[in-house]
Structures are given as structure tokens and as C-alpha cells.
Amino acid sequence: MPRIDETDWVGDPATASAMLASAGGSAMGVSVRVEETSAEQIAWVAEQVQEWAWEQLWSEGRPTNWPVCPRHPDSHPMRATVVVADAAWICPNDHCFVVSIGALEVQV
């Protein structure tokens, strides 16, 4: 799990930002435009957190297909997007809705 530093690194009132930091000391900025819908904000932040997780998994020599697409578990991760006003994880191959963002079970 990342440590979240709520420092505003963007410096733009139209953008909320924070830093995700790993136990090893690496960090990555995440940001979101405040005028977007909640679903758009959630999907965009989930995409950025996913990128952070890929970097962490890669650095540990672990598979980077997180979150694993249950339709193609050995192939690719799911993709964050908005589906009918809901922030969702979808299969990037067939664009099938898999689960709402935030409803995945924790995988360790």
C-alpha cells in the first residue's frame, strides 16, 4: 500500500493533487481536475494508482497485470474507465464491464 502525501504539487486551484510513496522511497504524483464528474475523477485516479502499482510490482519482480482481468487472467490487467456514469474496471480486449472501481476484493 502506498503512503499518501497530500502535498499539492500541481499548484493549480482547478486540480487536486497528492503524491504516492512506496516503502522503498520512490514516489509518483497523482492529480485530478476538480470540475470533472465523480465517476471521471475516480476512474482517472484509479488509472494513476494502477500505474504506480505496476511500477512497484515490476520493481519486486512480480506480475504487472494488476488488477488481473478475470476474463483473461494470464494476458492483461483491467482498464479503468467510466461506464454509464459509474467508474468501472473493464476488460480492455472486449470492453466488457467487470466490476465497479472500489468493489474489488483486496489481493495481496
Side-chain angles (χ1 to χ4, degrees):
M1 295 295 291
R3 180 178 45 82
I4 301 170
D5 179 358
E6 297 181 20
T7 302
D8 178 14
W9 59 272
V10 173
D12 175 6
T15 304
S17 62
M19 295 293 290
L20 301 179
S22 71
S26 66
M28 181 182 127
V30 294
S31 64
V32 67
R33 303 290 295 171
V34 295
E35 79 273 358
E36 293 178 341
T37 67
S38 293
E40 291 169 326
Q41 290 175 342
I42 292 167
W44 177 237
V45 169
E47 185 176 320
Q48 294 172 85
V49 170
Q50 182 181 43
E51 185 176 325
W52 177 87
W54 289 341
E55 293 290 330
Q56 297 306 304
L57 291 166
W58 181 84
S59 72
E60 296 172 8
R62 296 172 58 192
T64 57
N65 63 332
W66 178 88
V68 173
C69 176
R71 299 173 63 76
H72 309 99
D74 297 323
S75 178
H76 56 258
M78 292 187 281
R79 182 170 64 87
T81 192
V82 176
V83 176
V84 191
D86 182 31
W89 292 111
I90 66 166
C91 171
N93 280 5
D94 59 19
H95 306 285
C96 179
F97 172 89
V98 177
V99 65
S100 294
I101 292 175
L104 279 175
E105 292 184 26
V106 175
Q107 302 171 6
V108 180

